[in-house]
Amino acid sequence: MIRLVIDCFGGDKSPSVNVEGSIRALEQFPDLSLILTGDETAVRAELDRLGASEGERLSVVHAPDVIGCDEKPTDAIRIKKDSSMMRAVQLLRSDDDISGMVSIGSTGALVAASVLRVGRLRGVCRPAFCPILPTMNGGIVGICDSGANVECKPDYLRQFAVMGSRYLEQVYGVENPRVALLNVGVEAEKGDELHKEAYRLLSDTPGLNFVGNMESRDLLTGRYDLVVCDGFSGNVLVKSTEGTALELLKKLKRDIYSRTKYKIGAFIMRKMFAEEKEFMNYQNYGGSVMLGCARNIVKGHGSSDAVSFAKCIEQAYRMEQSGLSGLIEADLDRLPNAKI
Amino acid sequence: MIRLVIDCFGGDKSPSVNVEGSIRALEQFPDLSLILTGDETAVRAELDRLGASEGERLSVVHAPDVIGCDEKPTDAIRIKKDSSMMRAVQLLRSDDDISGMVSIGSTGALVAASVLRVGRLRGVCRPAFCPILPTMNGGIVGICDSGANVECKPDYLRQFAVMGSRYLEQVYGVENPRVALLNVGVEAEKGDELHKEAYRLLSDTPGLNFVGNMESRDLLTGRYDLVVCDGFSGNVLVKSTEGTALELLKKLKRDIYSRTKYKIGAFIMRKMFAEEKEFMNYQNYGGSVMLGCARNIVKGHGSSDAVSFAKCIEQAYRMEQSGLSGLIEADLDRLPNAKI
C-alpha cells in the first residue's frame, strides 16, 4: 500500500478539485491510500457530493486554517500550524509509512516547508523544484531548479542534473535523458563563474548524458529532456515561456473576435484551436516535484482541475512505486567528490 | 550633419540589405552622412544596382575580411583588424565627428569591441545591451541588460535603469518610463542578494519611475516600459520570449497544413495571421543598442532586411540627434553615491 497525504485547500477551486482528484486516483490505483487534510466539514461535504466515504484507504484529518498565496512563506509555515498544508507536512514528518504529499496551495510555503520541515535525502545539498513543460514535437522537458534555490553553487547544479535525470527516467520513462545547462550561449566557456564551473562538473559526471549548454530559445524544440539551471534563471525561463504562450493565445483570441470573417475562419478551425489550447495547458503535464526531499512532494498549479489534481497524485505515487528516492541516494553516493 | 559608420557585412543577406538600408536612411534624413565598411567591390556593386553613388554624404572604406558568428569574440576583434566590423570600430575611435555605428554581424564581437575599443560615457560602470520587444497592447518594452554583463553588481543595475529610461524617453518618446526589476516574485524581499540590494537602490533613485519587481511572465503585458536585469537572466528572458513565440508560430503553421479544412479556415483568416506574424517580427522594432558606450552603437538582427536595417540607422541617428549621451552623463552625475 502506498500512502499519501493530500492538502485539500489553497487552490482556486479547493476543496472540490482536491477531493474529486483524490477519488479519481483511488479508483485508478488499488494499492493507494490517501489522508485528506483541511476543514473536515467542507471536505466531508465534498465526499458526500461524490458518493464517497471514509474507510481503510481514505481518511480525513481536520485542519481549519488555510495558507494564502500572499502570505510570507517562512512566517506562514511557522504560525499556521493548523493549516491544511502544515497539518499535511506534520503527518508526513510523524508517520514513516506516509511516502508523499500533494498540494496546490502556496508554492513558496510548500517549498519552505519541504526544505525546513521535511528534510533531505542522504547526500542532497539542496532540494530543487522540477516542473515539466510540453515540447513542440509532442515530448516533454523538465526544468530543474525552477526557483527553490535562487543562489546556487556548481555542485548543486550537478545534483539537480542527477536527480532530474533519474526522475524523468523513472516517472516519465525517458531513457538516458539528454541534459543541458541553461546558459547565455552554447559554447563551453560561456556564462559567469557558476555556469563555467557547472559545465566542467557536468562534463565529468559519469552516467550523465550531458549534451552541453542550451540557450533559452531552444527550450521547446524537443532537443533536450532536462534543463539544469540555478533557481533564479530557471524561474525566469519557466515563467517567461508560460507567460509568452499565454499572452499570445490571448492576443489571438482578441484578434479573432475583432471581425466576423475571422470568427468564421476560427469556427472552421475550432478543433485545431482546441487542440492547441489543450497542448499548452500546463495542467496536462502534472505538477512540479521537489526533488531531493526525504518524501515525494508534488505541487500542482493553483488553478488545477480534478483531472490534473489526480495526475499530481499519480506523480507522487509513481515516484514512490519506482523507488526514486533510493535510486537518487545511490546516484549521489557514486558522484566523484560529492560535497555532502 | 550626423555621421555614422555602417558595417556592411556579417548578416544573412549582407551586403545587399546593409547597402539598401543605408540608401533608404540617407533618403529619409537629409542631414545624415554614412561611411560604409566592407569589401569595396561588393559594396560598390550594390550601390550600382541601386543607382546610388559615392558623394558628400556617402563613402566606402575598404575592409576585405568578415567576422563570423562562430568566432570567439575577443580573438576576432584582436586578429581581424581588416574586417568590416573592426574597420568601422576603428573609424569610430579615430574620428570624433563620427557619432555612431550600425552592424548586423556577430553580437559577441560587437559587444566586446564596444566595451574594449570604443570606451564608456563618463560615469558608466558597464555598458549594457538593450533590445526592444513588442507588448500585447501595441506598445514596446526595453530589456536592459540582455547579455553584455553576465556578472553584475547592484550599482550596475541602477545604471541600466537610468540609461534605459533616458533611452526610451529620447528615442521612443516614452514619458516617465515605468521601470521594473526582473525577479522571481513581486515582493520587495525576493531574489538573491544582488536583486535585493538592487531593489533598495532603485527605490532610492530620484527621478526614476521604479514600480517594483516583475516576474518574467508579465514581460509582454504592457505594464512596464523598461525591465532591468543582470545580463544572465536578461539573456534568458529575451531569448525564451522570442523562442516561445517562434516555436508556437511554427507549430500553428504545421497544424494548419495538416488538414485541408484548416487550410481553408486559415485562408479566410490570412490577413489576421499575416498581421500576427508582422507583429511578432522583431525586425519591426529596431535593433539592440549598447547603452553607456562613448558612441551610439546599434546591433540589428543577423536576418535583417533593408527596412529593418534602415530602422537601426534611424535609431543611431535619433540617439545622436536627441543628445542622449550627454543626458545620460548628466543623469549619472546626479546619482547619489554613484561609484565612478
Side-chain angles (χ1 to χ4, degrees):
Chain A
M1 190 67 73
I2 291 178
R3 292 178 73 206
L4 302 173
V5 60
I6 307 295
D7 170 9
C8 283
F9 281 81
D12 300 345
K13 290 163 279 183
S14 290
S16 76
V17 295
N18 311 50
V19 176
E20 193 182 328
S22 297
I23 302 302
R24 279 172 180 265
L26 286 169
E27 283 164 0
Q28 196 184 349
F29 303 108
D31 62 338
L32 176 68
S33 157
L34 300 178
I35 304 164
L36 313 186
T37 63
D39 180 90
E40 59 185 349
T41 315
V43 172
R44 290 208 173 101
E46 285 300 324
L47 287 174
D48 283 349
R49 184 177 66 86
L50 298 161
S53 55
E54 289 177 72
E56 206 190 326
R57 293 172 57 213
L58 178 66
S59 57
V60 179
V61 169
H62 184 54
D65 226 344
V66 180
I67 295 179
C69 280
D70 48 351
E71 294 182 58
K72 199 180 168 187
T74 44
D75 289 349
I77 69 167
R78 197 167 41 83
I79 298 163
K80 290 205 167 170
K81 293 196 196 308
D82 276 343
S83 60
S84 56
M85 185 189 284
M86 291 316 294
R87 186 59 47 89
V89 168
Q90 203 178 308
L91 285 164
L92 207 54
R93 290 181 61 173
S94 61
D95 188 341
D96 283 347
D97 281 351
I98 302 176
S99 63
M101 163 176 177
V102 174
S103 176
I104 55 172
S106 159
T107 306
L110 189 66
V111 168
S114 303
V115 172
L116 301 173
R117 298 283 188 272
V118 179
R120 297 165 287 174
L121 292 177
R122 185 181 74 240
V124 170
C125 298
R126 293 281 187 285
F129 217 47
C130 183
I132 300 284
L133 289 178
T135 60
M136 291 302 155
N137 59 347
I140 55 160
V141 61
I143 297 106
C144 188
D145 173 40
S146 75
N149 308 282
V150 293
E151 282 175 296
C152 284
K153 294 179 180 173
D155 210 40
Y156 301 176
L157 294 187
R158 179 167 66 171
Q159 291 201 344
F160 300 165
V162 168
M163 297 191 297
S165 287
R166 196 54 93 177
Y167 169 61
L168 284 169
E169 181 197 85
Q170 293 299 318
V171 176
Y172 290 89
V174 181
E175 276 178 54
N176 202 22
R178 296 157 300 174
V179 178
L181 176 66
L182 178 64
N183 210 326
V184 296
V186 293
E187 303 84 357
E189 71 278 10
K190 282 282 175 179
D192 53 11
E193 277 313 309
L194 168 67
H195 291 86
K196 285 179 194 166
E197 180 59 25
Y199 187 96
R200 284 190 286 270
L201 278 179
L202 290 167
S203 303
D204 288 343
T205 303
L208 193 72
N209 185 11
F210 179 56
V211 298
N213 285 327
M214 182 201 83
E215 291 185 278
S216 61
R217 72 169 100 247
D218 291 326
L219 177 68
L220 304 180
T221 57
R223 294 210 292 271
Y224 311 99
D225 299 307
L226 178 73
V227 179
V228 172
C229 31
D230 66 271
F232 197 98
S233 55
N235 193 272
V236 169
L237 177 68
V238 171
K239 286 178 181 167
S240 77
T241 302
E242 287 181 356
T244 304
L246 197 72
E247 291 295 332
L248 284 180
L249 272 188
K250 267 161 61 181
K251 178 168 164 35
L252 208 58
K253 201 171 167 183
R254 214 165 48 224
D255 291 347
I256 286 170
Y257 279 95
S258 71
R259 290 186 61 180
T260 309
K261 196 168 138 182
Y262 298 161
K263 278 193 246 180
I264 295 167
F267 182 77
I268 295 173
M269 300 168 85
R270 66 191 180 283
K271 192 158 168 277
M272 191 193 91
F273 281 125
E275 280 167 7
E276 307 292 358
K277 206 176 158 186
E278 208 45 29
F279 170 77
M280 279 186 258
N281 184 358
Y282 40 70
Q283 295 193 10
N284 293 328
Y285 306 92
S288 298
V289 302
M290 277 293 289
L291 293 174
C293 268
R295 305 297 168 88
N296 305 307
I297 298 179
V298 179
K299 163 72 178 74
H301 265 273
S303 57
S304 292
D305 58 20
V307 174
S308 53
F309 196 92
K311 267 189 200 284
C312 292
I313 299 178
E314 180 179 345
Q315 275 174 288
Y317 173 87
R318 295 212 183 281
M319 287 166 84
E320 181 61 19
Q321 192 193 35
S322 67
L324 181 66
S325 297
L327 292 169
I328 285 176
E329 286 184 340
D331 286 341
L332 296 182
D333 282 345
R334 277 192 298 270
L335 274 190
N337 312 314
K339 286 167 199 152
I340 296 175
Chain B
M1 189 67 73
I2 290 178
R3 294 177 73 205
L4 302 172
V5 59
I6 306 296
D7 170 8
C8 283
F9 280 81
D12 300 346
K13 290 164 279 183
S14 291
S16 77
V17 295
N18 311 51
V19 177
E20 195 183 326
S22 297
I23 302 302
R24 279 171 180 266
L26 286 169
E27 284 165 358
Q28 195 184 348
F29 303 107
D31 62 336
L32 175 68
S33 157
L34 299 178
I35 304 164
L36 314 185
T37 64
D39 180 90
E40 58 184 351
T41 315
V43 172
R44 290 208 172 100
E46 285 300 323
L47 287 174
D48 283 348
R49 184 177 64 85
L50 298 162
S53 55
E54 289 175 72
E56 207 190 326
R57 292 172 56 212
L58 178 67
S59 58
V60 179
V61 170
H62 183 53
D65 226 344
V66 179
I67 294 179
C69 280
D70 48 352
E71 293 182 58
K72 197 177 169 189
T74 43
D75 289 349
I77 68 166
R78 197 168 41 82
I79 298 164
K80 289 205 166 169
K81 293 196 195 310
D82 277 341
S83 60
S84 56
M85 185 188 286
M86 292 314 295
R87 186 57 49 87
V89 169
Q90 204 177 307
L91 285 163
L92 209 55
R93 291 182 60 175
S94 60
D95 188 341
D96 283 348
D97 281 351
I98 303 176
S99 63
M101 165 177 174
V102 174
S103 176
I104 55 172
S106 159
T107 307
L110 190 66
V111 168
S114 305
V115 173
L116 301 173
R117 299 282 190 271
V118 180
R120 296 165 288 175
L121 293 176
R122 186 181 72 239
V124 170
C125 297
R126 292 283 186 283
F129 218 45
C130 184
I132 300 284
L133 289 178
T135 59
M136 291 302 155
N137 59 347
I140 56 161
V141 61
I143 298 107
C144 188
D145 173 40
S146 74
N149 308 282
V150 292
E151 281 174 297
C152 283
K153 294 179 181 173
D155 210 41
Y156 301 177
L157 295 187
R158 179 167 65 169
Q159 292 202 344
F160 300 165
V162 169
M163 297 192 295
S165 286
R166 197 53 94 174
Y167 169 61
L168 285 169
E169 181 196 87
Q170 293 298 318
V171 176
Y172 290 90
V174 181
E175 276 177 52
N176 202 22
R178 297 157 299 174
V179 178
L181 176 66
L182 178 64
N183 210 327
V184 296
V186 293
E187 302 84 355
E189 71 279 9
K190 282 282 176 179
D192 53 11
E193 277 313 309
L194 169 66
H195 291 85
K196 284 179 195 167
E197 179 59 24
Y199 187 97
R200 283 189 286 270
L201 278 179
L202 290 168
S203 304
D204 288 343
T205 303
L208 193 71
N209 185 11
F210 179 56
V211 298
N213 286 328
M214 181 201 85
E215 290 186 279
S216 61
R217 73 169 99 247
D218 291 327
L219 177 68
L220 304 180
T221 56
R223 293 210 293 271
Y224 312 98
D225 300 307
L226 178 72
V227 178
V228 172
C229 32
D230 66 272
F232 196 98
S233 55
N235 193 273
V236 169
L237 177 67
V238 171
K239 286 178 180 166
S240 77
T241 302
E242 288 182 355
T244 304
L246 196 72
E247 291 296 331
L248 284 180
L249 271 188
K250 268 160 63 180
K251 179 168 164 32
L252 208 59
K253 200 172 167 182
R254 214 165 48 224
D255 291 347
I256 286 170
Y257 278 96
S258 70
R259 290 184 62 179
T260 308
K261 196 167 138 183
Y262 298 160
K263 278 192 244 182
I264 295 168
F267 182 75
I268 295 172
M269 302 168 85
R270 64 192 180 283
K271 194 160 167 273
M272 191 194 92
F273 281 125
E275 280 167 6
E276 307 292 358
K277 206 176 155 183
E278 208 45 30
F279 170 77
M280 279 186 259
N281 185 357
Y282 39 72
Q283 295 192 13
N284 293 329
Y285 306 92
S288 299
V289 302
M290 276 294 290
L291 294 174
C293 268
R295 305 298 168 86
N296 306 306
I297 298 179
V298 179
K299 164 69 178 74
H301 264 273
S303 58
S304 291
D305 59 20
V307 174
S308 52
F309 197 91
K311 268 190 201 285
C312 293
I313 299 178
E314 180 180 345
Q315 275 175 286
Y317 174 87
R318 296 213 184 279
M319 287 166 84
E320 180 62 19
Q321 192 192 37
S322 66
L324 180 65
S325 296
L327 292 168
I328 286 177
E329 286 185 339
D331 285 341
L332 295 183
D333 282 346
R334 277 192 297 270
L335 274 190
N337 313 313
K339 286 167 199 153
I340 297 175

